[in-house]
Amino acid sequence: DAEIDLKKIINSALIVPIELEMGLPADIISTVEFNHTGELLATGDKGGRVVIFQREQESKNQVHRRGEYNVYSTFQSHEPEFDYLKSLEIEEKINKIRWLPQQNAAYFLLSTNDKTVKLWKVSERDKRPEGYNLKDEEGRLRDPATITTLRVPVLRPMDLMVEATPRRVFANAHTYHINSISVNSDYETYMSADDLRINLWNFEITNQSFNIVDIKPANMEELTEVITAAEFHPHHCNTFVYSSSKGTIRLCDMRASALCDRHTKFFEEPEDPSNRSFFSEIISSISDVKFSHSGRYIMTRDYLTVKVWDLNMENRPIETYQVHDYLRSKLCSLYENDCIFDKFECVWNGSDSVIMTGSYNNFFRMFDRNTKRDVTLEASRENSKPRAILKPRKVCVGGKRRKDEISVDSLDFSKKILHTAWTRLTRWTSYYLIISHTEY
């Protein structure tokens, strides 16, 4: 029945605790992303650092034991910069990470801060060459006059070393802050989006990109909306969507024109006049947009809800899920402490049947699209023991509070789940998720 299905979802979700010494502001995680197999997990932080975790292999004695994630590689992706022409500091914070499908033994990923996208190669080395003709064992060049015999270099085993090397740097193309990067299904191009423009890049060309969307008005005083997120269709390389701060989604087709200034489809839900308030425009801004794996649906997250849209129906979403509707009465205080501008992400599970998104007090929400049941779970450090089964939580709004409930007035708004990732490992039928939470 529905309750059993929900229990399966909860029990198959594994919270992977990752300790990154969250003592300094620079150590706060700013993005998380699994690779396509789920074996690697990349996290970016506000200090410009990328930490990659690798899932431990199954134990031979315990075949069904779920592996844990340990540090695989750490490298500094971005450094703080200063734009002297504009007298502007450029933060090193990693905004997004995207993995490329693995083609050989090496891994490739894109990482971006506000201005620059970098392509990184992560590879393993467990052998070293020895017996060079022109170099001695210390690596110093030898005098050619002393070389009397020809030696054939050989490979010797060595301790495993994981190397991260920058292969491409895509810079100087964005005037505004980059909020999204998305790898195309042709695996030859990707796009980067900032507040007003979206650029299309070829992985082999770093000094040139094509501007495919430009919503900057001739007079900036006439600016009414900005781009908040963008993503390519998972199967059709010509199609992509981008969302706006006005709560709208535009579907574009690059076959129609080089500059996609005219959208193919426009998704917008008419506003309910009875819910109109001072905060309506702020809370309707879309913070994340994701295609389903099938490519049939689009999921969007605004401040209070998650919505699922059918590509064939533009006038309203087919599903709307209330994430934390109990905060509607708290919008004034949330506006005063700037929490109303928090940008929450959302994510599909592997079969597009369950969606997940974050909330405050280290809570995150999961919605079963088939049974229409939902659950609230807490990703606190006390509950993050390996293979721990999480207990559902409930928020009480006024009235008498039950034993297992928490009052809406007791929620900690400094602890919030902003970044989520979910992957399906091919060796099991169960699902694994990772959650990044911010604790100040």
Side-chain angles (χ1 to χ4, degrees), residues 212-242:
I212 55 177
V213 172
D214 188 348
I215 66 169
K216 182 180 178 181
N219 183 2
M220 284 295 284
E221 293 182 356
E222 299 175 359
L223 181 67
T224 59
E225 63 180 337
V226 295
I227 299 170
T228 56
E231 186 176 65
F232 269 118
H233 191 281
H235 309 304
H236 305 310
C237 61
N238 56 282
T239 306
F240 67 93
V241 295
Y242 68 91

PDB file of all heavy atoms in Angstrom, residues 212-242:
ATOM      1  N   ILE A 212      23.227  32.846 -26.920  1.00  0.00           N
ATOM      2  CA  ILE A 212      21.982  32.272 -27.430  1.00  0.00           C
ATOM      3  C   ILE A 212      20.742  32.884 -26.784  1.00  0.00           C
ATOM      4  O   ILE A 212      19.631  32.732 -27.304  1.00  0.00           O
ATOM      5  CB  ILE A 212      21.960  30.737 -27.278  1.00  0.00           C
ATOM      6  CG1 ILE A 212      22.222  30.315 -25.834  1.00  0.00           C
ATOM      7  CG2 ILE A 212      22.984  30.096 -28.210  1.00  0.00           C
ATOM      8  CD1 ILE A 212      22.150  28.807 -25.602  1.00  0.00           C
ATOM      9  N   VAL A 213      20.905  33.546 -25.632  1.00  0.00           N
ATOM     10  CA  VAL A 213      19.790  34.267 -25.003  1.00  0.00           C
ATOM     11  C   VAL A 213      20.339  35.573 -24.440  1.00  0.00           C
ATOM     12  O   VAL A 213      21.380  35.575 -23.773  1.00  0.00           O
ATOM     13  CB  VAL A 213      19.129  33.445 -23.870  1.00  0.00           C
ATOM     14  CG1 VAL A 213      18.120  34.312 -23.110  1.00  0.00           C
ATOM     15  CG2 VAL A 213      18.434  32.219 -24.428  1.00  0.00           C
ATOM     16  N   ASP A 214      19.630  36.668 -24.712  1.00  0.00           N
ATOM     17  CA  ASP A 214      20.023  37.972 -24.184  1.00  0.00           C
ATOM     18  C   ASP A 214      18.752  38.739 -23.848  1.00  0.00           C
ATOM     19  O   ASP A 214      18.003  39.142 -24.733  1.00  0.00           O
ATOM     20  CB  ASP A 214      20.856  38.741 -25.205  1.00  0.00           C
ATOM     21  CG  ASP A 214      21.451  40.028 -24.633  1.00  0.00           C
ATOM     22  OD1 ASP A 214      21.019  40.427 -23.529  1.00  0.00           O
ATOM     23  OD2 ASP A 214      22.336  40.618 -25.260  1.00  0.00           O
ATOM     24  N   ILE A 215      18.481  38.910 -22.553  1.00  0.00           N
ATOM     25  CA  ILE A 215      17.266  39.625 -22.134  1.00  0.00           C
ATOM     26  C   ILE A 215      17.603  41.004 -21.572  1.00  0.00           C
ATOM     27  O   ILE A 215      16.740  41.649 -20.968  1.00  0.00           O
ATOM     28  CB  ILE A 215      16.465  38.813 -21.095  1.00  0.00           C
ATOM     29  CG1 ILE A 215      17.249  38.680 -19.784  1.00  0.00           C
ATOM     30  CG2 ILE A 215      16.073  37.456 -21.641  1.00  0.00           C
ATOM     31  CD1 ILE A 215      16.409  38.114 -18.640  1.00  0.00           C
ATOM     32  N   LYS A 216      18.843  41.463 -21.790  1.00  0.00           N
ATOM     33  CA  LYS A 216      19.227  42.778 -21.278  1.00  0.00           C
ATOM     34  C   LYS A 216      18.524  43.868 -22.080  1.00  0.00           C
ATOM     35  O   LYS A 216      18.668  43.954 -23.306  1.00  0.00           O
ATOM     36  CB  LYS A 216      20.741  42.971 -21.372  1.00  0.00           C
ATOM     37  CG  LYS A 216      21.216  44.302 -20.806  1.00  0.00           C
ATOM     38  CD  LYS A 216      22.718  44.453 -20.925  1.00  0.00           C
ATOM     39  CE  LYS A 216      23.155  45.817 -20.385  1.00  0.00           C
ATOM     40  NZ  LYS A 216      24.624  46.017 -20.499  1.00  0.00           N
ATOM     41  N   PRO A 217      17.764  44.738 -21.416  1.00  0.00           N
ATOM     42  CA  PRO A 217      17.087  45.817 -22.141  1.00  0.00           C
ATOM     43  C   PRO A 217      18.068  46.929 -22.511  1.00  0.00           C
ATOM     44  O   PRO A 217      19.140  47.054 -21.908  1.00  0.00           O
ATOM     45  CB  PRO A 217      16.044  46.312 -21.129  1.00  0.00           C
ATOM     46  CG  PRO A 217      16.640  45.994 -19.793  1.00  0.00           C
ATOM     47  CD  PRO A 217      17.437  44.729 -19.985  1.00  0.00           C
ATOM     48  N   ALA A 218      17.709  47.727 -23.502  1.00  0.00           N
ATOM     49  CA  ALA A 218      18.564  48.838 -23.912  1.00  0.00           C
ATOM     50  C   ALA A 218      18.745  49.824 -22.772  1.00  0.00           C
ATOM     51  O   ALA A 218      19.829  50.390 -22.572  1.00  0.00           O
ATOM     52  CB  ALA A 218      17.962  49.530 -25.134  1.00  0.00           C
ATOM     53  N   ASN A 219      17.697  50.008 -21.992  1.00  0.00           N
ATOM     54  CA  ASN A 219      17.753  50.863 -20.809  1.00  0.00           C
ATOM     55  C   ASN A 219      17.580  49.988 -19.575  1.00  0.00           C
ATOM     56  O   ASN A 219      16.533  49.378 -19.386  1.00  0.00           O
ATOM     57  CB  ASN A 219      16.648  51.925 -20.877  1.00  0.00           C
ATOM     58  CG  ASN A 219      16.694  52.885 -19.698  1.00  0.00           C
ATOM     59  OD1 ASN A 219      17.570  52.791 -18.826  1.00  0.00           O
ATOM     60  ND2 ASN A 219      15.758  53.824 -19.677  1.00  0.00           N
ATOM     61  N   MET A 220      18.620  49.918 -18.741  1.00  0.00           N
ATOM     62  CA  MET A 220      18.576  49.014 -17.589  1.00  0.00           C
ATOM     63  C   MET A 220      17.478  49.385 -16.597  1.00  0.00           C
ATOM     64  O   MET A 220      17.074  48.562 -15.769  1.00  0.00           O
ATOM     65  CB  MET A 220      19.932  49.010 -16.884  1.00  0.00           C
ATOM     66  CG  MET A 220      20.993  48.212 -17.621  1.00  0.00           C
ATOM     67  SD  MET A 220      20.607  46.437 -17.702  1.00  0.00           S
ATOM     68  CE  MET A 220      21.009  45.919 -16.047  1.00  0.00           C
ATOM     69  N   GLU A 221      16.972  50.613 -16.669  1.00  0.00           N
ATOM     70  CA  GLU A 221      15.869  50.999 -15.794  1.00  0.00           C
ATOM     71  C   GLU A 221      14.579  50.267 -16.163  1.00  0.00           C
ATOM     72  O   GLU A 221      13.635  50.229 -15.369  1.00  0.00           O
ATOM     73  CB  GLU A 221      15.653  52.512 -15.865  1.00  0.00           C
ATOM     74  CG  GLU A 221      16.816  53.315 -15.283  1.00  0.00           C
ATOM     75  CD  GLU A 221      16.548  54.805 -15.323  1.00  0.00           C
ATOM     76  OE1 GLU A 221      15.484  55.202 -15.867  1.00  0.00           O
ATOM     77  OE2 GLU A 221      17.391  55.571 -14.829  1.00  0.00           O
ATOM     78  N   GLU A 222      14.543  49.703 -17.366  1.00  0.00           N
ATOM     79  CA  GLU A 222      13.364  48.963 -17.809  1.00  0.00           C
ATOM     80  C   GLU A 222      13.457  47.476 -17.481  1.00  0.00           C
ATOM     81  O   GLU A 222      12.573  46.702 -17.844  1.00  0.00           O
ATOM     82  CB  GLU A 222      13.186  49.138 -19.320  1.00  0.00           C
ATOM     83  CG  GLU A 222      12.981  50.579 -19.756  1.00  0.00           C
ATOM     84  CD  GLU A 222      12.941  50.719 -21.266  1.00  0.00           C
ATOM     85  OE1 GLU A 222      13.097  49.668 -21.958  1.00  0.00           O
ATOM     86  OE2 GLU A 222      12.773  51.850 -21.773  1.00  0.00           O
ATOM     87  N   LEU A 223      14.514  47.075 -16.778  1.00  0.00           N
ATOM     88  CA  LEU A 223      14.698  45.664 -16.422  1.00  0.00           C
ATOM     89  C   LEU A 223      13.621  45.209 -15.444  1.00  0.00           C
ATOM     90  O   LEU A 223      13.420  45.823 -14.393  1.00  0.00           O
ATOM     91  CB  LEU A 223      16.087  45.467 -15.803  1.00  0.00           C
ATOM     92  CG  LEU A 223      16.456  44.033 -15.396  1.00  0.00           C
ATOM     93  CD1 LEU A 223      16.581  43.143 -16.626  1.00  0.00           C
ATOM     94  CD2 LEU A 223      17.760  44.025 -14.603  1.00  0.00           C
ATOM     95  N   THR A 224      12.910  44.140 -15.788  1.00  0.00           N
ATOM     96  CA  THR A 224      11.820  43.652 -14.942  1.00  0.00           C
ATOM     97  C   THR A 224      12.046  42.233 -14.428  1.00  0.00           C
ATOM     98  O   THR A 224      11.365  41.800 -13.503  1.00  0.00           O
ATOM     99  CB  THR A 224      10.487  43.673 -15.713  1.00  0.00           C
ATOM    100  OG1 THR A 224      10.606  42.851 -16.890  1.00  0.00           O
ATOM    101  CG2 THR A 224      10.126  45.104 -16.115  1.00  0.00           C
ATOM    102  N   GLU A 225      12.975  41.484 -15.034  1.00  0.00           N
ATOM    103  CA  GLU A 225      13.221  40.117 -14.590  1.00  0.00           C
ATOM    104  C   GLU A 225      14.643  39.707 -14.928  1.00  0.00           C
ATOM    105  O   GLU A 225      15.298  40.307 -15.788  1.00  0.00           O
ATOM    106  CB  GLU A 225      12.231  39.140 -15.229  1.00  0.00           C
ATOM    107  CG  GLU A 225      12.323  39.058 -16.742  1.00  0.00           C
ATOM    108  CD  GLU A 225      11.328  38.081 -17.338  1.00  0.00           C
ATOM    109  OE1 GLU A 225      10.884  37.175 -16.623  1.00  0.00           O
ATOM    110  OE2 GLU A 225      11.003  38.227 -18.527  1.00  0.00           O
ATOM    111  N   VAL A 226      15.129  38.683 -14.252  1.00  0.00           N
ATOM    112  CA  VAL A 226      16.459  38.143 -14.517  1.00  0.00           C
ATOM    113  C   VAL A 226      16.358  36.628 -14.668  1.00  0.00           C
ATOM    114  O   VAL A 226      15.398  35.997 -14.208  1.00  0.00           O
ATOM    115  CB  VAL A 226      17.461  38.488 -13.387  1.00  0.00           C
ATOM    116  CG1 VAL A 226      17.689  39.975 -13.308  1.00  0.00           C
ATOM    117  CG2 VAL A 226      16.982  37.930 -12.047  1.00  0.00           C
ATOM    118  N   ILE A 227      17.358  36.045 -15.314  1.00  0.00           N
ATOM    119  CA  ILE A 227      17.443  34.592 -15.471  1.00  0.00           C
ATOM    120  C   ILE A 227      17.931  33.984 -14.163  1.00  0.00           C
ATOM    121  O   ILE A 227      18.912  34.451 -13.572  1.00  0.00           O
ATOM    122  CB  ILE A 227      18.397  34.228 -16.627  1.00  0.00           C
ATOM    123  CG1 ILE A 227      17.885  34.807 -17.952  1.00  0.00           C
ATOM    124  CG2 ILE A 227      18.576  32.717 -16.730  1.00  0.00           C
ATOM    125  CD1 ILE A 227      18.886  34.710 -19.091  1.00  0.00           C
ATOM    126  N   THR A 228      17.262  32.953 -13.699  1.00  0.00           N
ATOM    127  CA  THR A 228      17.626  32.342 -12.415  1.00  0.00           C
ATOM    128  C   THR A 228      18.238  30.951 -12.561  1.00  0.00           C
ATOM    129  O   THR A 228      19.009  30.523 -11.709  1.00  0.00           O
ATOM    130  CB  THR A 228      16.395  32.251 -11.501  1.00  0.00           C
ATOM    131  OG1 THR A 228      15.350  31.518 -12.181  1.00  0.00           O
ATOM    132  CG2 THR A 228      15.877  33.643 -11.157  1.00  0.00           C
ATOM    133  N   ALA A 229      17.900  30.214 -13.623  1.00  0.00           N
ATOM    134  CA  ALA A 229      18.437  28.867 -13.825  1.00  0.00           C
ATOM    135  C   ALA A 229      18.211  28.456 -15.266  1.00  0.00           C
ATOM    136  O   ALA A 229      17.298  28.952 -15.934  1.00  0.00           O
ATOM    137  CB  ALA A 229      17.776  27.852 -12.877  1.00  0.00           C
ATOM    138  N   ALA A 230      19.053  27.545 -15.764  1.00  0.00           N
ATOM    139  CA  ALA A 230      18.921  27.064 -17.147  1.00  0.00           C
ATOM    140  C   ALA A 230      19.433  25.640 -17.232  1.00  0.00           C
ATOM    141  O   ALA A 230      20.369  25.255 -16.516  1.00  0.00           O
ATOM    142  CB  ALA A 230      19.695  27.960 -18.110  1.00  0.00           C
ATOM    143  N   GLU A 231      18.824  24.840 -18.116  1.00  0.00           N
ATOM    144  CA  GLU A 231      19.251  23.447 -18.276  1.00  0.00           C
ATOM    145  C   GLU A 231      18.900  22.937 -19.673  1.00  0.00           C
ATOM    146  O   GLU A 231      17.839  23.265 -20.217  1.00  0.00           O
ATOM    147  CB  GLU A 231      18.597  22.559 -17.222  1.00  0.00           C
ATOM    148  CG  GLU A 231      19.131  21.122 -17.250  1.00  0.00           C
ATOM    149  CD  GLU A 231      18.556  20.255 -16.152  1.00  0.00           C
ATOM    150  OE1 GLU A 231      17.330  20.009 -16.172  1.00  0.00           O
ATOM    151  OE2 GLU A 231      19.328  19.811 -15.292  1.00  0.00           O
ATOM    152  N   PHE A 232      19.802  22.107 -20.220  1.00  0.00           N
ATOM    153  CA  PHE A 232      19.555  21.442 -21.490  1.00  0.00           C
ATOM    154  C   PHE A 232      18.594  20.271 -21.312  1.00  0.00           C
ATOM    155  O   PHE A 232      18.523  19.654 -20.242  1.00  0.00           O
ATOM    156  CB  PHE A 232      20.866  20.907 -22.080  1.00  0.00           C
ATOM    157  CG  PHE A 232      21.577  21.865 -22.999  1.00  0.00           C
ATOM    158  CD1 PHE A 232      22.842  22.330 -22.689  1.00  0.00           C
ATOM    159  CD2 PHE A 232      20.979  22.286 -24.171  1.00  0.00           C
ATOM    160  CE1 PHE A 232      23.500  23.206 -23.534  1.00  0.00           C
ATOM    161  CE2 PHE A 232      21.623  23.170 -25.031  1.00  0.00           C
ATOM    162  CZ  PHE A 232      22.892  23.627 -24.706  1.00  0.00           C
ATOM    163  N   HIS A 233      17.867  19.965 -22.376  1.00  0.00           N
ATOM    164  CA  HIS A 233      17.030  18.762 -22.412  1.00  0.00           C
ATOM    165  C   HIS A 233      17.952  17.541 -22.338  1.00  0.00           C
ATOM    166  O   HIS A 233      19.028  17.525 -22.932  1.00  0.00           O
ATOM    167  CB  HIS A 233      16.212  18.734 -23.704  1.00  0.00           C
ATOM    168  CG  HIS A 233      15.151  17.696 -23.731  1.00  0.00           C
ATOM    169  ND1 HIS A 233      15.410  16.364 -23.993  1.00  0.00           N
ATOM    170  CD2 HIS A 233      13.805  17.789 -23.533  1.00  0.00           C
ATOM    171  CE1 HIS A 233      14.280  15.682 -23.955  1.00  0.00           C
ATOM    172  NE2 HIS A 233      13.286  16.509 -23.681  1.00  0.00           N
ATOM    173  N   PRO A 234      17.566  16.489 -21.610  1.00  0.00           N
ATOM    174  CA  PRO A 234      18.463  15.333 -21.446  1.00  0.00           C
ATOM    175  C   PRO A 234      18.699  14.532 -22.716  1.00  0.00           C
ATOM    176  O   PRO A 234      19.676  13.770 -22.785  1.00  0.00           O
ATOM    177  CB  PRO A 234      17.755  14.489 -20.383  1.00  0.00           C
ATOM    178  CG  PRO A 234      16.322  14.892 -20.466  1.00  0.00           C
ATOM    179  CD  PRO A 234      16.330  16.337 -20.834  1.00  0.00           C
ATOM    180  N   HIS A 235      17.838  14.673 -23.742  1.00  0.00           N
ATOM    181  CA  HIS A 235      17.977  13.852 -24.949  1.00  0.00           C
ATOM    182  C   HIS A 235      18.083  14.668 -26.231  1.00  0.00           C
ATOM    183  O   HIS A 235      18.732  14.229 -27.181  1.00  0.00           O
ATOM    184  CB  HIS A 235      16.793  12.888 -25.070  1.00  0.00           C
ATOM    185  CG  HIS A 235      16.526  12.100 -23.821  1.00  0.00           C
ATOM    186  ND1 HIS A 235      17.484  11.323 -23.219  1.00  0.00           N
ATOM    187  CD2 HIS A 235      15.408  12.006 -23.052  1.00  0.00           C
ATOM    188  CE1 HIS A 235      16.967  10.757 -22.131  1.00  0.00           C
ATOM    189  NE2 HIS A 235      15.716  11.158 -22.003  1.00  0.00           N
ATOM    190  N   HIS A 236      17.457  15.830 -26.296  1.00  0.00           N
ATOM    191  CA  HIS A 236      17.441  16.641 -27.508  1.00  0.00           C
ATOM    192  C   HIS A 236      18.430  17.791 -27.358  1.00  0.00           C
ATOM    193  O   HIS A 236      18.217  18.705 -26.564  1.00  0.00           O
ATOM    194  CB  HIS A 236      16.034  17.171 -27.790  1.00  0.00           C
ATOM    195  CG  HIS A 236      14.992  16.097 -27.865  1.00  0.00           C
ATOM    196  ND1 HIS A 236      15.149  14.967 -28.650  1.00  0.00           N
ATOM    197  CD2 HIS A 236      13.780  15.962 -27.257  1.00  0.00           C
ATOM    198  CE1 HIS A 236      14.081  14.196 -28.526  1.00  0.00           C
ATOM    199  NE2 HIS A 236      13.241  14.776 -27.684  1.00  0.00           N
ATOM    200  N   CYS A 237      19.504  17.747 -28.150  1.00  0.00           N
ATOM    201  CA  CYS A 237      20.589  18.712 -27.981  1.00  0.00           C
ATOM    202  C   CYS A 237      20.209  20.121 -28.419  1.00  0.00           C
ATOM    203  O   CYS A 237      20.940  21.073 -28.131  1.00  0.00           O
ATOM    204  CB  CYS A 237      21.835  18.244 -28.727  1.00  0.00           C
ATOM    205  SG  CYS A 237      21.610  18.073 -30.512  1.00  0.00           S
ATOM    206  N   ASN A 238      19.098  20.275 -29.095  1.00  0.00           N
ATOM    207  CA  ASN A 238      18.681  21.588 -29.581  1.00  0.00           C
ATOM    208  C   ASN A 238      17.752  22.317 -28.614  1.00  0.00           C
ATOM    209  O   ASN A 238      17.419  23.481 -28.818  1.00  0.00           O
ATOM    210  CB  ASN A 238      17.978  21.455 -30.935  1.00  0.00           C
ATOM    211  CG  ASN A 238      16.796  20.493 -30.879  1.00  0.00           C
ATOM    212  OD1 ASN A 238      16.989  19.276 -30.890  1.00  0.00           O
ATOM    213  ND2 ASN A 238      15.589  21.021 -30.817  1.00  0.00           N
ATOM    214  N   THR A 239      17.325  21.661 -27.553  1.00  0.00           N
ATOM    215  CA  THR A 239      16.291  22.203 -26.677  1.00  0.00           C
ATOM    216  C   THR A 239      16.850  22.499 -25.287  1.00  0.00           C
ATOM    217  O   THR A 239      17.618  21.717 -24.739  1.00  0.00           O
ATOM    218  CB  THR A 239      15.117  21.212 -26.552  1.00  0.00           C
ATOM    219  OG1 THR A 239      14.655  20.864 -27.860  1.00  0.00           O
ATOM    220  CG2 THR A 239      13.977  21.812 -25.759  1.00  0.00           C
ATOM    221  N   PHE A 240      16.439  23.623 -24.730  1.00  0.00           N
ATOM    222  CA  PHE A 240      16.805  23.948 -23.351  1.00  0.00           C
ATOM    223  C   PHE A 240      15.716  24.821 -22.742  1.00  0.00           C
ATOM    224  O   PHE A 240      14.865  25.378 -23.448  1.00  0.00           O
ATOM    225  CB  PHE A 240      18.163  24.659 -23.294  1.00  0.00           C
ATOM    226  CG  PHE A 240      18.197  26.029 -23.913  1.00  0.00           C
ATOM    227  CD1 PHE A 240      17.981  27.178 -23.152  1.00  0.00           C
ATOM    228  CD2 PHE A 240      18.449  26.180 -25.274  1.00  0.00           C
ATOM    229  CE1 PHE A 240      17.998  28.433 -23.721  1.00  0.00           C
ATOM    230  CE2 PHE A 240      18.480  27.447 -25.858  1.00  0.00           C
ATOM    231  CZ  PHE A 240      18.256  28.576 -25.076  1.00  0.00           C
ATOM    232  N   VAL A 241      15.726  24.937 -21.425  1.00  0.00           N
ATOM    233  CA  VAL A 241      14.779  25.796 -20.711  1.00  0.00           C
ATOM    234  C   VAL A 241      15.555  26.749 -19.811  1.00  0.00           C
ATOM    235  O   VAL A 241      16.673  26.450 -19.392  1.00  0.00           O
ATOM    236  CB  VAL A 241      13.774  24.993 -19.854  1.00  0.00           C
ATOM    237  CG1 VAL A 241      12.870  24.148 -20.713  1.00  0.00           C
ATOM    238  CG2 VAL A 241      14.488  24.154 -18.816  1.00  0.00           C
ATOM    239  N   TYR A 242      14.936  27.885 -19.538  1.00  0.00           N
ATOM    240  CA  TYR A 242      15.471  28.756 -18.505  1.00  0.00           C
ATOM    241  C   TYR A 242      14.318  29.397 -17.748  1.00  0.00           C
ATOM    242  O   TYR A 242      13.242  29.629 -18.301  1.00  0.00           O
ATOM    243  CB  TYR A 242      16.434  29.801 -19.075  1.00  0.00           C
ATOM    244  CG  TYR A 242      15.837  30.871 -19.951  1.00  0.00           C
ATOM    245  CD1 TYR A 242      15.401  32.085 -19.411  1.00  0.00           C
ATOM    246  CD2 TYR A 242      15.723  30.695 -21.331  1.00  0.00           C
ATOM    247  CE1 TYR A 242      14.872  33.084 -20.214  1.00  0.00           C
ATOM    248  CE2 TYR A 242      15.205  31.696 -22.142  1.00  0.00           C
ATOM    249  CZ  TYR A 242      14.781  32.886 -21.576  1.00  0.00           C
ATOM    250  OH  TYR A 242      14.251  33.870 -22.374  1.00  0.00           O
TER     251      TYR A 242
END
